[in-house]
Amino acid sequence: MLTVTGCPSPNVGQPFCLSPLMSASLYCHIVFLFADSLGENTKVLPGLPQPPTITHQSPKEYIMDPRENIIIHCDAKGKPHPSFSWTRNGTHFDVEQDPNVIMRPHSGTLVVDLSRARPENFEGVFQCTARNKYGSAVSNNIVIRQSKSPLWSKEKFKPIVVQEGVSLVLPCRPPAGLPPPIIFWMDNNFQKLPQSKRVSQSLNGDLYFSNVRREDSRNDYICYARFTHTQTIQQKQPITVKVLNPDAINDTMADYYNDTELLNEAPVDERKPTFLIPSGHSSAKMVLRGHVLEMECIAEGLPTPEVSWTKVSGDLPGRRASFLHFNKTLRIVNVSESDAGDYRCTARNQLGSAQHTISVAVKAAPYWISGPPKNLVLAPGESGVLTCRASGTPKPSIMWSRNGGPIENSPKDISRKVEDDTIIFTDVQTDSSAVYQCNISNPYGYLLSNAFVNVLSEPPRVLTPANKLYQVIENRPALMDCSSFGSPIPKITWFKDSRASTLDGDPYILHDNGTLEIQVAQAQHKGKYTCVATNMLGIYENHVYLETKEPTHIIKLPDDKVVQRGRSVLFECKVKHDKDLFPSLIWLKDDEELPDDERFIVEFDSLSITDVSERDAGTYTCIVNTTLDHDSATAELTVVEPTPAPAVLHGRPDPPTDLELTDQKKRSVQLTWIPGEEHNSPIEEFVIQYEDSLHRRGHWHDLARVPGTKTTAHLKLSPHVYYTFRVLARNAVGLSEPSSPSRMYKTDPAAPDQNPKDVRGSGTEHNNLVITWQPLSGLQSNGPGLHYKVSWRQKRPGSDWTTVTVANNSRFTVSGTPTFSPYEIKVQAVNDHGDGPEPAVALGYSGEDLPLSAPTNVRATVVNSTLAELHWDPVPLHLIRGHVQGYKVYYWRRHNLHKHNPDHMEKRILTFSGNHSHGMLPGLHPFSHYSFNVRVFNKKGDGPPSTAQQFKTPEGEPGPPVSLSVTDPSLDSLTLEWSPPHEHNGHITGYDLKYQPVNNSNELGPEEELALAANETSVTLKNLKYSPRYRFYLNARTSAGAGPAFSLEHAVKLEEAVTSRQVDIATQGWFIGLMCAIALLILVLLIICFIQRNKGGKYPVKEKEDAHTDPEFQPMKDDDCTFVEYSDNEDHKPLKGSRTPSNGTVKRDDSDDSLVDYGEGGDGQFNEDGSFIGQYSGKSSSRDNAEGQESSGAPSPINAMNSLNSFV
């Protein structure tokens, strides 16, 4: 019999084993030789024959998606690699005859292309067979079915009208799909409908209302079905529900009688619960073992009942049971036989309760009791057993097959005997190799398992890696494995070092699987061990090694601490360990990670906490781990309130004492000290200083700072320094005096660790190169004899380095260099003990000289009258002979193109930094002639100028007139005089004059504008309207536009204006005529008034008007023929019987008896009895202002008088 050994196991002879050993750090690593019938991922030794084993297959139920290809998996292994065949519905399926089906190479997996085939043509039961010359293995029966998502049947629902308080069920009834759909209810906005203990969805998808309320009224109860396999969602037609109260239901019955379904017209009272589902007092349910059991009870009632569950014959399974849908559903997962029995649901409200009992029966498809049968690997003449032990409800039947066919039809084998669920093999031979199938079935399912019998003759092999090293802690168990295989089973023996004798006595224990155990490993047990595996076909040996290590111990345990709040605390945890093990230390607080707080400071062997608070109290654990063992220790921290005390005098701490140097190395040392008295103020930090007696005696420098809770510091040192250390303590009050100096500690000289920094190269003359650097300090020199190797070479192919040695200086001048040539430079520090590291190469340049060439192709483009754009071709870099600093533009104004302006020859410079080839020249004078040249410059100075170029600027806007003044002012005229602009900026083409009156309120009147000729320097303005002030604006124009204006405000003296006005009016002929006309008009009006007064009777129209007097229409008084005064508001109102057109004027009807447009009093009218309405001045003040002097009619006498009075 061939087996794998190496794990201690009581089941000697089993082909597979994997178990942990006694030591946590040692495991027995087993390589499995063969897989079980389900094809686990295991290693097969190369070259060994093996019957087929199914390693991967599709599930028993395969639902295909018509949109995707069908992939039926069937993979197997064996030696030689097996071939594959398929059956469909019990008959051979020829893959090669169907162009839509292919079989993957080196596999039995089928791929069906549905893009050219109908899915229903491939529904059925498929089975795969994998065979080689040692047997045949078969897969499960794989049932292929097409997924289905049928459409919802069309149905129209009448609106449902129910009385408030009744129960209601909205049916869903989704179409049957494969697999069944998931049901949910939503509204038109795709929002899930809210559910509660009153409203919930049942397992079949219906929506149940224990009692309805008015807020349940809506027209969009929609049931949705989601088919997961095809990723489609279908919806039912919306259902409308209207909930009415008892008063409203009678009023709406007639409206809904024909088009609605009216439920429960009777008044609804509160009632005790009754079950909507399930019906009756009891029901039964069957569930399969391992499946999910769901039971639901939905009750109606008012108030809403609550549902609870109990198991009549026992307790509910705690972890496997859960309540869903507001306790209406009881769900039990992974059902077992113990879940059978009676379950009772109870619905209860204030008025009573209802109960329902559900009897659950648990059936079971076949399941393994001790796992499927194991593969057998036997040597010729050995015996073995295949066991296929399973259970189920009802009890399943067992059927054996050999290589895929009934075992009854297989060749007779005298070494094989079948006894129910067991096959016994005795004295097997090489032709007994085969694959056996065990099929266990009952009405609820089946199990199919393959197990092979492989008869082999193999010499022994050891699987444990050669020369494997085992490490173990002293006084702990040590286990060294010898995993082997062979057929027949190899015998394992162990030897140590010289192989004088076998190791089978105290202190060694040899396990049956070949593992050698030393219960208490000591230092004398380390060494070389040899494992020998032997059978009748050969011998094999393997060597391993054992090392013992010192255990890890915490030699200084952390102490329990009692600390006042606000103070600091320190826990120490010092560890001793084997020199070859590298420990790691972690701290825990109350068995959890330390808080993420900067107050917690973790060092390698300590934990300190500053500013302790109450939440820091607890248990602190120090854990040290290595790859082989670990150790831990705990301490308790107690935080107490600070003890009240009388006023305390705080002071600076005393200096530390007893400075000691330990752990002395070439570049480091450890300094320890004892803190001085704190003087009632905790020490916050220690400052460590040093004096270098060799380089700077008497000067102390800060070297390190450590927290006030530490009394040691690991100091990094430099070579060739005579160190003396001292320590100062700092608290809230201040810094202590320095401690007494430590003893001197001299570090050995060494080669420099660094080279000078800031290495540069530049020239002071055109033919030299000055190399400078930042020298090293005495502390950086690392030893005596510090000097520098200065190297340089031209940066060009084939150049060689030139090196000089420089001491006591930080610069070196190289003479005779070409002008402005690039050099590579490096400076290396050297002392008597060697050279520093390889220096970095810096780039420098030799001295500069004036540029040799001027820019070429210089040209100008005029952008506008004050801006030009200049362009030039840059000077080649080799002609600049230095770093380009920029370009300078020298420019000057040769003369103005206008004869009135003088010439300007002053030169100006505009600088453009950097290597530019163009630039803008701003601030130019319009209408001018300019010259310019361009020069490149470096740090030495300017190069030669380019050839001078010229350009002209176009005309621009002129400047403002030089002056503007008023002469000869009068009431209605004045004269303006001005001087031309100083800056013409072109040819003056004319002037623009704008003026406007300004009243006493600083309000501006209408603006007048005049265009004047270019040769004018004065203008007289006539016929001006009187205004206290006038504002004038005068600007000049060129072809480029108008320039800025010269503004002037002139005030008119009122006394002169009035006097002039009176004289003028009195001597005018039109004024005399106007006065005569006014007198004549008054006379005519008096005559008309007199006639009307003596006229007898009244017209009938007058009587009608008296009967319908309009309050807005008042005639003048009859008794004294005086006129009625109207307010401004009344003047704007139209007279009775008039029409007001859209333009605001009043149109007279043809039937009006009135005087039309009498003078300017056009609004006056006569009544039917001849009485006159209105005033002479019929226009309102607002109307006067609007018309002013622009009226084309004869002036009103009243207005004329008022106008005259305004000047007096």
Side-chain angles (χ1 to χ4, degrees):
M1 179 177 183
L2 179 66
T3 185
V4 179
T5 62
C7 294
S9 171
N11 300 322
V12 177
Q14 290 293 332
F16 308 106
C17 65
L18 178 63
S19 62
L21 299 182
M22 298 174 64
S23 173
S25 62
L26 296 177
Y27 290 90
C28 175
H29 301 283
I30 300 303
V31 179
F32 287 92
L33 177 59
F34 296 107
D36 61 15
S37 59
L38 294 180
E40 296 177 357
N41 292 325
T42 58
K43 294 182 179 179
V44 178
L45 295 179
L48 294 181
Q50 180 188 357
T53 300
I54 301 292
T55 58
H56 180 51
Q57 58 183 315
S58 293
K60 296 178 181 179
E61 296 286 337
Y62 187 116
I63 300 177
M64 61 176 167
D65 187 343
R67 301 168 300 180
E68 300 177 355
N69 292 341
I70 303 174
I71 301 177
I72 312 175
H73 290 282
C74 180
D75 292 303
K77 66 178 180 179
K79 292 290 183 178
H81 191 74
S83 61
F84 299 88
S85 63
W86 286 85
T87 62
R88 178 187 175 196
N89 297 329
T91 61
H92 176 68
F93 180 68
D94 194 344
V95 176
E96 297 180 354
Q97 295 300 318
D98 194 328
N100 299 314
V101 183
I102 62 170
M103 184 183 295
R104 289 179 176 173
H106 311 293
S107 170
T109 298
L110 297 182
V111 179
V112 182
D113 186 0
L114 292 182
S115 62
R116 299 174 297 174
R118 297 176 62 85
E120 54 267 21
N121 294 341
F122 294 94
E123 292 186 318
V125 180
F126 289 77
Q127 189 174 37
C128 170
T129 300
R131 58 174 56 85
N132 65 13
K133 66 179 182 179
Y134 298 106
S136 300
V138 298
S139 70
N140 292 321
N141 288 326
I142 303 171
V143 181
I144 307 295
R145 292 190 293 171
Q146 180 181 352
S147 61
K148 297 178 182 178
S149 53
L151 297 176
W152 223 306
S153 59
K154 295 291 184 180
E155 52 183 336
K156 185 177 181 182
F157 296 97
K158 292 183 179 181
I160 300 175
V161 179
V162 294
Q163 186 175 349
E164 187 175 9
V166 303
S167 62
L168 177 64
V169 181
L170 300 183
C172 181
R173 294 191 289 271
L178 185 66
I182 298 174
I183 307 301
F184 50 93
W185 289 79
M186 301 176 72
D187 58 15
N188 277 332
N189 297 322
F190 300 101
Q191 300 296 318
K192 282 192 174 183
L193 295 176
Q195 298 190 23
S196 62
K197 65 180 181 180
R198 184 179 64 86
V199 182
S200 62
Q201 177 183 317
S202 66
L203 296 177
N204 67 359
D206 294 345
L207 191 63
Y208 282 79
F209 295 78
S210 296
N211 52 78
V212 295
R213 297 177 181 173
R214 294 290 300 277
E215 59 264 26
D216 296 329
S217 297
R218 60 191 309 152
N219 59 1
D220 56 352
Y221 285 95
I222 306 174
C223 181
Y224 288 84
R226 180 164 68 91
F227 296 89
T228 56
H229 216 72
T230 59
Q231 294 299 312
T232 58
I233 297 178
Q234 299 184 27
Q235 74 174 66
K236 191 182 183 74
Q237 292 294 323
I239 300 175
T240 299
V241 174
K242 186 173 181 63
V243 181
L244 303 176
N245 58 30
D247 298 330
I249 194 168
N250 296 326
D251 298 335
T252 60
M253 281 184 61
D255 296 337
Y256 286 88
Y257 183 75
N258 294 325
D259 297 327
T260 65
E261 183 179 352
L262 189 60
L263 304 179
N264 196 23
E265 301 178 25
V268 177
D269 296 325
E270 292 187 347
R271 60 194 181 279
K272 69 177 184 178
T274 58
F275 284 106
L276 297 174
I277 55 170
S279 59
H281 295 287
S282 63
S283 58
K285 193 175 185 67
M286 190 275 290
V287 64
L288 291 180
R289 177 183 181 271
H291 286 212
V292 177
L293 171 63
E294 288 185 327
M295 299 173 285
E296 66 176 349
C297 288
I298 301 179
E300 66 91 20
L302 191 65
T304 302
E306 295 188 359
V307 178
S308 60
W309 293 85
T310 57
K311 186 177 182 182
V312 177
S313 55
D315 297 328
L316 294 174
R319 294 187 176 181
R320 294 184 294 112
S322 59
F323 301 99
L324 308 176
H325 305 143
F326 307 96
N327 269 25
K328 299 176 185 179
T329 301
L330 171 61
R331 188 173 191 263
I332 300 176
V333 298
N334 193 21
V335 171
S336 65
E337 289 83 352
S338 62
D339 295 324
D342 293 338
Y343 293 81
R344 180 174 296 148
C345 61
T346 303
R348 181 178 287 106
N349 66 7
Q350 293 90 327
L351 301 180
S353 63
Q355 292 183 341
H356 184 92
T357 302
I358 303 175
S359 297
V360 175
V362 178
K363 304 294 183 180
Y367 59 93
W368 300 113
I369 296 176
S370 57
K374 308 296 183 183
N375 298 322
L376 283 179
V377 180
L378 304 175
E382 289 188 331
S383 301
V385 175
L386 284 180
T387 302
C388 183
R389 193 154 296 162
S391 182
T393 306
K395 183 179 179 180
S397 60
I398 300 176
M399 184 177 69
W400 286 96
S401 300
R402 180 181 182 274
N403 292 334
I407 197 170
E408 299 84 10
N409 300 335
S410 64
K412 187 176 181 180
D413 187 351
I414 60 175
S415 66
R416 181 184 66 224
K417 182 180 180 181
V418 180
E419 293 183 357
D420 192 21
D421 60 359
T422 303
I423 301 180
I424 302 172
F425 296 92
T426 306
D427 191 20
V428 297
Q429 301 302 317
T430 55
D431 59 355
S432 298
S433 295
V435 182
Y436 290 86
Q437 288 80 37
C438 168
N439 192 325
I440 304 176
S441 63
N442 70 5
Y444 302 107
Y446 73 94
L447 293 174
L448 176 64
S449 179
N450 295 274
F452 63 70
V453 176
N454 196 12
V455 181
L456 295 174
S457 294
E458 286 293 327
R461 301 187 194 183
V462 176
L463 302 179
T464 301
N467 301 315
K468 183 176 181 180
L469 175 64
Y470 291 93
Q471 293 180 327
V472 65
I473 298 296
E474 290 182 0
N475 300 318
R476 303 277 183 88
L479 294 103
M480 295 170 284
D481 65 306
C482 184
S483 301
S484 63
F485 75 93
S487 182
I489 300 174
K491 179 182 178 181
I492 305 299
T493 53
W494 283 88
F495 300 92
K496 182 178 186 297
D497 296 333
S498 63
R499 304 179 66 168
S501 61
T502 58
L503 306 178
D504 55 0
D506 187 61
Y508 302 101
I509 299 175
L510 180 60
H511 291 274
D512 293 337
N513 61 3
T515 297
L516 181 67
E517 179 181 356
I518 306 174
Q519 290 185 323
V520 182
Q522 302 290 338
Q524 65 268 22
H525 293 140
K526 62 184 179 181
K528 177 182 176 182
Y529 289 80
T530 303
C531 157
V532 179
T534 308
N535 71 4
M536 58 183 296
L537 300 178
I539 185 170
Y540 194 102
E541 66 178 38
N542 188 48
H543 305 291
V544 297
Y545 296 87
L546 177 65
E547 289 183 356
T548 58
K549 302 295 181 184
E550 295 182 6
T552 302
H553 288 303
I554 299 176
I555 57 176
K556 180 171 177 51
L557 305 178
D559 299 323
D560 293 341
K561 301 283 186 177
V562 178
V563 180
Q564 294 182 1
R565 179 170 51 83
R567 303 296 292 271
S568 300
V569 65
L570 174 68
F571 292 109
E572 290 186 298
C573 183
K574 296 188 181 296
V575 179
K576 179 182 179 182
H577 58 86
D578 189 276
K579 63 182 180 60
D580 295 328
L581 300 179
F582 301 97
S584 62
L585 188 144
I586 61 173
W587 287 87
L588 301 178
K589 179 182 182 295
D590 298 329
D591 295 329
E592 296 181 355
E593 291 184 0
L594 291 178
D596 185 10
D597 192 333
E598 61 183 7
R599 298 182 301 109
F600 289 77
I601 303 171
V602 178
E603 302 289 347
F604 176 75
D605 56 0
S606 66
L607 167 66
S608 59
I609 309 173
T610 61
D611 190 19
V612 172
S613 63
E614 289 82 354
R615 66 176 182 272
D616 297 331
T619 301
Y620 288 82
T621 304
C622 162
I623 302 176
V624 57
N625 289 306
T626 68
T627 54
L628 297 180
D629 64 345
H630 70 278
D631 196 8
S632 64
T634 60
E636 195 76 22
L637 174 62
T638 304
V639 181
V640 298
E641 288 294 326
T643 304
V648 178
L649 296 178
H650 299 278
R652 293 187 300 170
D654 290 342
T657 59
D658 296 339
L659 273 64
E660 183 180 355
L661 299 177
T662 59
D663 195 17
Q664 300 174 5
K665 297 179 180 179
K666 289 185 177 181
R667 295 289 185 97
S668 66
V669 69
Q670 182 166 292
L671 176 66
T672 61
W673 62 88
I674 297 175
E677 174 61 37
E678 294 182 344
H679 293 292
N680 301 312
S681 179
I683 295 176
E684 298 174 352
E685 67 172 355
F686 291 100
V687 180
I688 302 170
Q689 296 180 340
Y690 75 94
E691 178 195 30
D692 181 5
S693 302
L694 179 62
H695 299 101
R696 297 196 67 185
R697 178 181 296 274
H699 290 80
W700 291 90
H701 309 275
D702 288 352
L703 180 62
R705 295 173 184 266
V706 296
T709 56
K710 303 287 288 183
T711 58
T712 63
H714 192 76
L715 306 176
K716 293 183 179 180
L717 307 178
S718 298
H720 193 51
V721 178
Y722 294 176
Y723 284 101
T724 305
F725 303 101
R726 69 183 186 184
V727 183
L728 298 87
R730 183 191 303 275
N731 62 10
V733 179
L735 199 64
S736 72
E737 292 295 324
S739 68
S740 298
S742 69
R743 63 180 176 86
M744 183 179 294
Y745 183 69
K746 299 179 180 180
T747 55
D748 297 332
D753 293 328
Q754 56 185 305
N755 289 310
K757 298 179 181 179
D758 198 22
V759 177
R760 299 186 181 186
S762 61
T764 57
E765 300 294 338
H766 67 89
N767 59 352
N768 73 3
L769 171 68
V770 179
I771 302 173
T772 60
W773 60 90
Q774 180 180 331
L776 299 183
S777 65
L779 188 64
Q780 295 170 329
S781 65
N782 287 3
L786 176 66
H787 59 278
Y788 304 97
K789 288 183 180 180
V790 181
S791 304
W792 69 92
R793 69 178 178 183
Q794 276 191 277
K795 189 178 181 183
R796 66 183 181 188
S799 296
D800 295 327
W801 289 98
T802 301
T803 302
V804 299
T805 299
V806 178
N808 302 320
N809 205 339
S810 61
R811 62 186 289 143
F812 179 78
T813 301
V814 181
S815 302
T817 62
T819 301
F820 195 65
S821 179
Y823 279 83
E824 290 182 326
I825 305 165
K826 57 184 181 180
V827 180
Q828 185 179 29
V830 182
N831 65 16
D832 294 345
H833 291 266
D835 297 348
E838 182 63 26
V841 177
L843 182 65
Y845 286 86
S846 57
E848 299 185 8
D849 205 347
L850 294 176
L852 295 175
S853 180
T856 58
N857 196 19
V858 178
R859 57 204 181 275
T861 301
V862 177
V863 178
N864 54 43
S865 61
T866 61
L867 179 66
E869 184 175 7
L870 307 182
H871 292 265
W872 59 87
D873 292 345
V875 176
L877 295 179
H878 70 279
L879 296 178
I880 297 176
R881 301 202 297 178
H883 294 286
V884 179
Q885 300 300 305
Y887 286 84
K888 294 181 181 179
V889 176
Y890 288 76
Y891 66 101
W892 60 96
R893 186 181 179 191
R894 295 176 60 86
H895 60 81
N896 191 304
L897 297 178
H898 196 277
K899 62 183 179 180
H900 297 290
N901 290 100
D903 293 342
H904 296 277
M905 296 299 292
E906 178 185 355
K907 287 188 178 181
R908 295 184 179 182
I909 303 174
L910 184 61
T911 301
F912 298 96
S913 299
N915 194 14
H916 287 275
S917 61
H918 65 279
M920 306 301 291
L921 193 61
L924 303 176
H925 289 277
F927 204 50
S928 298
H929 188 182
Y930 279 90
S931 293
F932 73 97
N933 59 54
V934 184
R935 313 178 191 195
V936 68
F937 68 98
N938 58 23
K939 293 181 179 179
K940 273 292 185 180
D942 295 355
S946 67
T947 304
Q949 302 292 326
Q950 291 82 33
F951 64 87
K952 298 178 181 179
T953 55
E955 292 190 21
E957 297 174 355
V962 175
S963 63
L964 177 64
S965 59
V966 176
T967 61
D968 300 330
S970 66
L971 185 63
D972 56 357
S973 67
L974 53 79
T975 298
L976 291 174
E977 294 181 353
W978 63 89
S979 300
H982 179 73
E983 295 288 344
H984 283 63
N985 293 341
H987 298 290
I988 301 296
T989 60
Y991 295 91
D992 292 327
L993 174 64
K994 298 179 182 179
Y995 61 93
Q996 57 189 147
V998 183
N999 62 17
N1000 291 328
S1001 300
N1002 288 327
E1003 296 175 349
L1004 299 176
E1007 185 178 79
E1008 299 289 343
E1009 185 173 356
L1010 291 177
L1012 306 173
N1015 56 358
E1016 294 190 37
T1017 58
S1018 65
V1019 66
T1020 299
L1021 303 179
K1022 299 180 179 180
N1023 298 323
L1024 296 176
K1025 298 177 183 178
Y1026 172 73
S1027 177
R1029 285 175 294 165
Y1030 269 91
R1031 189 170 293 171
F1032 302 94
Y1033 309 91
L1034 179 68
N1035 52 4
R1037 294 193 312 274
T1038 65
S1039 60
F1046 190 109
S1047 62
L1048 173 68
E1049 188 171 299
H1050 178 72
V1052 179
K1053 296 182 179 180
L1054 183 61
E1055 294 78 3
E1056 296 177 359
V1058 171
T1059 304
S1060 175
R1061 185 66 175 171
Q1062 287 177 341
V1063 173
D1064 290 344
I1065 293 177
T1067 58
Q1068 297 295 322
W1070 64 270
F1071 182 74
I1072 298 174
L1074 178 61
M1075 294 297 101
C1076 293
I1078 292 173
L1080 180 60
L1081 179 60
I1082 293 174
L1083 178 61
V1084 172
L1085 290 176
L1086 291 175
I1087 295 173
I1088 293 174
C1089 185
F1090 178 77
I1091 294 173
Q1092 292 295 331
R1093 181 179 178 84
N1094 292 288
K1095 195 172 185 180
K1098 291 184 179 180
Y1099 291 98
V1101 176
K1102 183 64 172 65
E1103 296 176 359
K1104 295 180 181 180
E1105 291 178 351
D1106 292 340
H1108 304 284
T1109 303
D1110 190 339
E1112 295 181 5
F1113 186 89
Q1114 297 294 336
M1116 62 184 177
K1117 299 178 182 179
D1118 291 337
D1119 52 355
D1120 56 0
C1121 200
T1122 59
F1123 296 97
V1124 179
E1125 293 184 359
Y1126 287 80
S1127 69
D1128 289 344
N1129 293 333
E1130 291 169 340
D1131 289 344
H1132 292 284
K1133 296 179 181 178
L1135 300 178
K1136 189 172 184 179
S1138 66
R1139 301 175 183 171
T1140 305
S1142 60
N1143 60 4
T1145 61
V1146 178
K1147 185 177 180 180
R1148 176 179 56 83
D1149 291 340
D1150 294 339
S1151 59
D1152 289 345
D1153 294 330
S1154 63
L1155 297 176
V1156 180
D1157 294 337
Y1158 193 89
E1160 289 188 15
D1163 290 339
Q1165 290 186 349
F1166 284 99
N1167 286 332
E1168 292 294 336
D1169 60 353
S1171 59
F1172 186 77
I1173 303 171
Q1175 303 182 27
Y1176 285 108
S1177 62
K1179 299 178 182 178
S1180 67
S1181 62
S1182 63
R1183 193 171 179 185
D1184 291 339
N1185 292 337
E1187 294 182 2
Q1189 298 181 8
E1190 295 177 3
S1191 176
S1192 60
S1196 166
I1198 303 300
N1199 289 341
M1201 295 298 293
N1202 290 337
S1203 177
L1204 180 61
N1205 292 333
S1206 66
F1207 289 96
V1208 178

